[in-house]
Amino acid sequence: MFGGGLGESIKMREELMKEACYLSLRAHTSAGKPYLSKKIRGSSETVFSFPGPWTVDGWFSGKPFGQRKIELNLFPSLRSIGNDEKAAVNEAFYGRFEAILKTTAFANEVKKAVTEKKQIIFTGHSSGGPIAILATLWREKWDIYFIHFVTRYDIVPRLMLAPLSSIERELQPVLHFFNPKSQFFGLESITTAPDASTFFMNVMRNVSAVTSHAACHLMGSTNSLLETVTSFIDLSPYRPFGTFVFCTGNGKLVVVKNPDAVLQLLFYSSQLTSEADIRDVACRCLKEHLGYENELQESLKMQNVAYLDDHLNETPLSSSGSVQGELATINTALNDLGLSTRGRLCLRAAGELQKQKQRNQDKIDFNKKEIAEKLESIRKYKTDRDVRKVGYYDAFKLQNDPEDFQANVKRLEVVGMWDEIIEMLKRYALPDEFEGREEWIKLGTEFRRLMEPLDIANYYRHQKNDDTGPYLIKARPKRYRFTQRWREHAKRIAQGSSSESCFWATVEELRNSDKPFEELKDTIMDLERDIDRWAQHEEIGKDVFLDESTFAKWWKKLPSQHKKGSCLGKYMSN
Amino acid sequence: MVAAFLASTPLLSESWSLCCRATATQTFAVSRAGDVSYVAFSGVQAVDVLDPGCGNLVAVDGGVFPGLLRHGEAEEKAEEPVMVHSGMLHLFHSMFKYTDFESQMFEIMKESKSVVFTGHSIGGTIASLSTLWLLSYLQSISSPLSVLCITFGSPLLSNESLSKSILQERWGGHFWHVVAKHDIVPRLLLAPLSPLTPQLHALLQYWHLSMTSPQLPVMGQDFYSLAQRAALRQDIVVQLPDEEKNRLFLFVLACVEASAKAGRSGGSSFFWPFGNYVFCTNEGAVCVDDGVAVVKLMHLMLATGNASSSIEDHLKYEDYVGKVSMQFLKRRGFVEGEIFESSYEAGVTLALQSSEIASHEPVSGPARDCLRTAIRMGRAPNLNSANLAIALSKITPLRAQIEWYKASCDQSDDQMGYYDTFKLRGASKRDAKVNMNRIKLAQFWDGLIRMLETNQLPHDFLKREKWVNASQFYKLLVEPLDIADYYRLRGMHRDKGHYLTHGRERRYEIFDRWWRNRKVGEEENTKRNRYASLTQDSCFWARVEEAREWIENVRSESDTRKLAMLWENIDKFEQYARKIVERKEVSKDVLAENSSYSLWLKELSELKSQLQQFPPRFPRFFEGEIVP
């Protein structure tokens, strides 16, 4: 990516950048409109731009950082799949977007633009930005480029890393300063007041806490104090995403995508050279927020762009280091951003982590063949047992033959390999896109359907339910929980609908229950409906219905009244 | 990096300002900020405990610190006792007794989510003791309250055993000791002080006056000018001539150096640090959590000072806290022109810069080495934990083979169960394999415990159910084999005594504790319908072995008192065994026809019928009346 214009590299026409920037600023001043839309003449693009709110409660609501969990029905993809962690977003901005969606013609207008095959750009300056981001997430889901322009000292991109309580007194005047409709708009005296310095310091103190905490994790530190102290303070939950374009202030641009690196840059690029600079920098941290239009035009003219992502782990550590070629460009750019050795070390750590994730993925990909082979031998075991008319679930539970024992050893080997993967996912040690990779979703489903019955058989064979409780509640391994969520997410089906691999556990619990039939009836009906569906789609094997199977034996003991009406009657021999 | 994070939190300055208030009150002060409560202890106390006269280490009592003691007991008896400074313990006890400290604490526990104990100087040791007390208490009621201890220039409190106990309890992360780079007080107790009693008296007086006199800024209000303050202090210092100060300084420096060189304390009656140390300088701060590294840095940093800076630094926490909490603002760590071999070396250089040790100073070499080790040690845990997970999955098949062995013994015609089969094993390939697996599993778990106790694993490690469950199943399955091996050929226990008291591996005691401390859901205590797959008391067979010996002894014993004791023991075991069999908490191998337990029952009833034929001298034992 060395050389070449910015537009080419980040795949956006430069004309469009300028237009978007202009419109995002216009939105602030257009009286009372929740958004603006404009078709670009002579091209196929439509730009929507959003104004921002200028009151404190338009930025922060309720909690220290004003965040909320996202609504999955509007944004189904915004969670970590296996870990099942919902994304958090700013509540005030979220509410604003929801209102636009519900009370204006916005949704229709976007739909119309889509049917007309227009390209759509959402844009916003300052607090209009988050609305544009939410619009993009809502429209295009996770699949689009987000481009954020940030000037070196602009305080706003850092603002949400501080809790409201730390800046409550100073925030409203600052918002007045940013608000084009306010009488204080751009007022010089605000930027030079002592309050501006306090404001800058308080925000930066919190940014420092968040970024140094993140850096400790990047560098793999597990200092015990770190954990304890974290429970004593509120750390901001917000994190950057998408492509960041930092404007150094002298016409150069620095492009970074790695979110860990962006976070560190947000902090280290705003540090002071000496204490005496504080008033000057505090002034710039406000002024630069209003200077995007000029900055962008200047920078695009110069086309001096450094791309960090491919070289993060070899970031030059000292400002005067003798490096050549692309690294030299990067070094100059980092000098322009004022990055200290400490900051550069953090960038390296971010790059190293990314590389490590890639290496982990390569290693796991390498195991794929072995997993497939082992699964094949279990599949053979299953077929053999089917032939003998005792399903592999029951045979495994009985463990009468050496083959059953062999299968158990194979099982432990395969699950060991999967646990390794899950362990990495839990630590977020694999690339983010791993859980969406088709080949792994497929292999995960195969693995789950074939192996989980054996895990359940083993669990109930050793009566671990007496020691630790029912399998599904107490003991279901993460390797199956995760792989099930992968499939459900990929197929966009409801959570829990792909639980065909663990119905045996429900059967075991029902079998062991001493409750009367009437009390269990609903659970049984649900189970029967599910089994019928899974059998029709061949998601469970025929062995379930063999005469001697645990399931068949249990089912046949159900009251005959119930059996007559059951949807499973057709699978059972008499 | 950790230090940078700590410094940008508000905890440090909040704690320090309350410390100043507490010193003004001479007892303790409480304040609340949101969900966090701060409790600060005065740096000036009624009794001067740093006086060498009351500086002995004494063993802690279980009444107030059960958490520490319980651990001490579980250890082998040879282990050194946990000891703390007697004077400081006394201060803590009298505060507990004569103030409303305890009731205030309960108030705080009701209203806050977290507590910070803090204190300057001697107040720091009371903060540490209060933290230990509260951690012990919270452990006993499983409360989620978070506790943190932040001390400023605190003297040492305790011996190396305490620091080990704290590591084992994984409490190290609750202690944050702030030490100014030259402050002599935190280093003082590494030296035997009695030869220097008069010098020390003068110093203590000086510090106390400086801390309590109104010319010190209290809560940021500065009434006197710097020059006035300096003049006032000068008056006090006059009492101690410079050469005396120097003598004290050099003596302490030499003792700290000796400790640093030795790399461990001199035994249970010597002081040793615990928890995290954050050394503050004008250039920043460094955080170290390993005891050896702490003592080394204590030495190296003190070596760059002199007598007067070592005394003055004890009073300079206001400055240091201010500087450290503002360090985030300024760009630091610009190392011009230097080329680094690696990120790691660059990190070490930055840490060295923060410790304000210039590269031309003679101590910079050793300091670099010390920081290198500290940084490397800080990184390993996560990786170790991931590798262990993989190692566990690799050794699980070994466990499965033992399970298979047990099952095949259960089905075998011998009807001995896997305990007796293994005990009487011959030279077959199968038995050798099982024995091999047993040894490999033990190695794995011992290694894991070692890593855990030397802080090489993440802090939430034991909260991961996977490990607690895996260790429990391992224990239930394999400990019977260890017992069998112990009693095999009637060997070991003859020389060493019985398994339960002399042969049980420490890992099993640790696993017992994990299992006890795990989070328990509601649906516990479900009744068993079938015999458990593994006997829930993993020491059951060791009890059987002891019971067998009692029966043997009954036959040969003539001393009536001893005989009574034996019968009492036999009775107790019989009842216990019946109870767990009834509850189906044993696996079916216990009840196998030829198991040691079945044979024992048979023997017992034979013995009883013999005694009935030849009327016993003490029939009352059979009615279950037990004479003490």
Side-chain angles (χ1 to χ4, degrees), chain A residues 312-437:
Chain A
L312 279 174
N313 62 325
E314 40 184 5
T315 304
L317 286 178
S318 71
S319 51
S320 54
S322 54
V323 281
Q324 307 285 313
E326 212 164 336
L327 284 179
T329 318
I330 287 176
N331 201 17
T332 326
L334 293 183
N335 285 344
D336 290 336
L337 284 177
L339 239 66
S340 63
T341 305
R342 206 177 278 279
R344 290 155 189 258
L345 272 176
C346 293
L347 292 188
R348 271 199 177 190
E352 201 41 59
L353 187 70
Q354 194 180 17
K355 280 257 155 67
Q356 185 59 45
K357 285 182 179 180
Q358 193 53 48
R359 279 197 293 270
N360 289 345
Q361 172 160 293
D362 293 348
K363 185 170 161 248
I364 283 176
D365 281 346
F366 183 77
N367 284 346
K368 211 161 52 185
K369 201 167 136 243
E370 203 182 334
I371 292 179
E373 281 168 12
K374 292 208 157 100
L375 285 182
E376 195 45 52
S377 75
I378 297 280
R379 197 170 290 120
K380 187 172 169 300
Y381 168 71
K382 179 173 185 289
T383 334
D384 287 352
R385 300 297 111 174
D386 282 356
V387 172
R388 295 204 205 169
K389 297 284 173 207
V390 185
Y392 81 135
Y393 176 82
D394 288 283
F396 192 83
K397 205 170 140 198
L398 293 169
Q399 289 276 319
N400 280 336
D401 302 322
E403 287 85 354
D404 302 323
F405 173 66
Q406 297 306 336
N408 196 16
V409 174
K410 274 274 168 338
R411 172 184 74 95
L412 291 167
E413 287 167 2
V414 183
V415 301
M417 298 174 91
W418 278 91
D419 283 350
E420 191 181 341
I421 299 173
I422 304 301
E423 199 67 35
M424 286 181 181
L425 285 171
K426 266 160 57 191
R427 289 182 293 121
Y428 294 92
L430 286 172
D432 293 340
E433 61 276 9
F434 182 83
E435 291 183 289
R437 284 174 60 194

Side-chain angles (χ1 to χ4, degrees), chain B residues 211-314:
Chain B
M211 278 186 229
T212 46
S213 52
Q215 54 270 36
L216 272 186
V218 176
M219 294 299 291
Q221 289 167 311
D222 199 350
F223 298 117
Y224 286 73
S225 74
L226 267 169
Q228 275 172 312
R229 264 192 287 160
L232 271 163
R233 280 193 202 159
Q234 213 63 51
D235 290 345
I236 313 166
V237 176
V238 167
Q239 296 171 12
L240 191 64
D242 277 350
E243 69 228 56
E244 290 299 308
K245 283 198 276 182
N246 216 27
R247 238 185 91 201
L248 179 77
F249 171 73
L250 290 176
F251 180 68
V252 172
L253 181 62
C255 293
V256 179
E257 182 174 14
S259 295
K261 287 234 166 87
R264 56 189 176 82
S265 79
S268 67
S269 54
F270 291 85
F271 286 91
W272 197 250
F274 65 89
N276 291 267
Y277 273 74
V278 176
F279 290 93
C280 293
T281 70
N282 297 311
E283 287 302 319
V286 209
C287 178
V288 194
D289 63 358
D290 169 65
V292 181
V294 169
V295 176
K296 276 188 182 155
L297 280 184
M298 276 185 170
H299 163 239
L300 296 168
M301 290 173 92
L302 187 63
T304 65
N306 57 45
S308 96
S309 71
S310 78
I311 293 166
E312 289 303 317
D313 260 10
H314 191 54

Side-chain angles (χ1 to χ4, degrees), chain A residues 6 30 37 113 131 154 186 212 226-227 252 284 304 341 361 378 471 524 544 546:
Chain A
L6 174 70
S30 60
S37 65
I131 317 287
D154 181 3
S212 53
L226 205 63
E227 303 296 322
K252 292 181 200 160
R284 287 181 70 179
N304 188 332
T341 305
Q361 172 160 293
I378 297 280
Y471 173 87
I524 294 175
V544 176
L546 289 173

Side-chain angles (χ1 to χ4, degrees), chain B residues 20-252:
Chain B
C20 296
R21 251 169 64 195
T23 302
T25 67
Q26 304 222 0
T27 51
F28 65 94
V30 180
S31 84
R32 260 172 224 152
D35 289 335
V36 187
S37 282
Y38 290 82
V39 183
F41 302 94
S42 166
V44 178
Q45 296 285 341
V47 189
D48 219 337
V49 296
L50 271 181
D51 192 307
C54 43
N56 300 323
L57 278 164
V58 290
V60 289
D61 56 310
V64 188
F65 307 105
L68 290 175
L69 211 65
R70 197 196 58 212
H71 211 78
E73 279 170 352
E75 294 300 303
E76 267 125 73
K77 303 288 177 277
E79 194 80 14
E80 286 161 355
V82 170
M83 291 172 108
V84 299
H85 189 287
S86 60
M88 297 165 189
L89 188 63
H90 176 76
L91 277 179
F92 175 74
H93 277 312
S94 33
M95 176 189 72
F96 216 80
K97 227 181 187 163
Y98 301 118
T99 70
D100 60 346
F101 174 72
E102 198 178 1
S103 62
Q104 288 224 32
M105 283 313 303
F106 284 114
E107 204 57 31
I108 287 171
M109 277 185 250
K110 258 187 270 161
E111 285 164 20
S112 295
K113 282 189 190 145
S114 35
V115 187
V116 179
F117 289 110
T118 179
H120 175 216
S121 191
I122 197 74
T125 60
I126 302 182
S128 294
L129 283 168
S130 303
T131 308
L132 288 173
W133 163 73
L134 191 60
L135 285 171
S136 289
Y137 175 71
L138 293 176
Q139 194 180 47
S140 68
I141 59 167
S142 340
S143 157
L145 192 80
S146 327
V147 191
L148 180 63
C149 174
I150 305 180
T151 74
F152 299 91
S154 166
L156 294 178
L157 170 69
S158 53
N159 64 359
E160 200 173 357
S161 302
L162 183 94
S163 106
K164 276 189 198 154
S165 284
I166 282 177
L167 274 184
Q168 285 168 8
E169 290 293 340
R170 315 192 68 66
W171 283 350
H174 296 279
F175 295 90
W176 172 0
H177 304 292
V178 181
V179 170
K181 64 172 188 171
H182 293 153
D183 185 358
I184 200 166
V185 175
R187 287 124 168 146
L188 213 50
L189 290 175
L190 287 170
L193 293 171
S194 23
L196 294 163
T197 307
Q199 290 90 331
L200 207 59
H201 265 301
L203 265 187
L204 289 172
Q205 216 183 355
Y206 166 64
W207 280 325
H208 286 182
L209 279 167
S210 311
M211 278 186 229
T212 46
S213 52
Q215 54 270 36
L216 272 186
V218 176
M219 294 299 291
Q221 289 167 311
D222 199 350
F223 298 117
Y224 286 73
S225 74
L226 267 169
Q228 275 172 312
R229 264 192 287 160
L232 271 163
R233 280 193 202 159
Q234 213 63 51
D235 290 345
I236 313 166
V237 176
V238 167
Q239 296 171 12
L240 191 64
D242 277 350
E243 69 228 56
E244 290 299 308
K245 283 198 276 182
N246 216 27
R247 238 185 91 201
L248 179 77
F249 171 73
L250 290 176
F251 180 68
V252 172

Side-chain angles (χ1 to χ4, degrees), chain A residues 81-279:
Chain A
I81 305 170
N83 290 317
D84 201 20
E85 221 171 57
K86 279 190 201 172
V89 293
N90 179 302
E91 180 159 29
F93 297 147
Y94 186 86
R96 211 176 151 84
F97 172 69
E98 227 176 12
I100 292 175
L101 208 57
K102 282 185 184 150
T103 60
T104 71
F106 174 71
N108 284 333
E109 237 184 292
V110 173
K111 249 180 228 152
K112 191 160 156 267
V114 173
T115 42
E116 288 169 5
K117 299 241 156 59
K118 298 272 188 200
Q119 280 196 13
I120 300 170
I121 292 97
F122 296 110
T123 179
H125 165 250
S126 186
S127 48
I131 317 287
I133 293 168
L134 286 168
T136 319
L137 285 168
W138 162 76
R139 208 22 249 154
E140 304 269 347
K141 308 229 164 79
W142 65 99
D143 198 16
I144 189 127
Y145 257 12
F146 289 85
I147 300 165
H148 312 284
F149 288 91
V150 174
T151 50
R152 177 169 170 192
Y153 288 108
D154 181 3
I155 200 73
V156 175
R158 286 120 176 146
L159 194 64
M160 285 297 160
L161 298 174
L164 176 60
S165 58
S166 69
I167 45 173
E168 208 157 12
R169 198 171 57 85
E170 297 89 5
L171 183 58
Q172 188 58 67
V174 167
L175 294 181
H176 286 318
F177 174 83
F178 291 150
N179 180 2
K181 284 189 257 174
S182 157
Q183 52 172 324
F184 303 105
F185 177 65
L187 210 64
E188 185 78 19
S189 63
I190 291 183
T191 64
T192 51
D195 268 5
S197 299
T198 321
F199 178 69
F200 172 75
M201 241 159 52
N202 288 344
V203 172
M204 282 295 282
R205 184 192 305 282
N206 286 288
V207 178
S208 165
V210 176
T211 50
S212 53
H213 186 261
C216 289
H217 285 285
L218 285 181
M219 295 176 176
S221 164
T222 48
N223 179 287
S224 50
L225 197 48
L226 205 63
E227 303 296 322
T228 318
V229 170
T230 309
S231 66
F232 278 79
I233 53 169
D234 282 321
L235 282 178
S236 169
Y238 296 107
R239 292 297 178 273
F241 69 94
T243 302
F244 272 73
V245 183
F246 284 89
C247 311
T248 59
N250 55 5
K252 292 181 200 160
L253 297 173
V254 180
V255 180
V256 205
K257 284 189 207 145
N258 181 316
D260 296 318
V262 171
L263 185 67
Q264 298 298 327
L265 274 176
L266 283 175
F267 174 68
Y268 285 102
S269 61
S270 278
Q271 278 188 308
L272 309 180
T273 317
S274 76
E275 271 94 357
D277 291 351
I278 176 114
R279 283 190 60 178

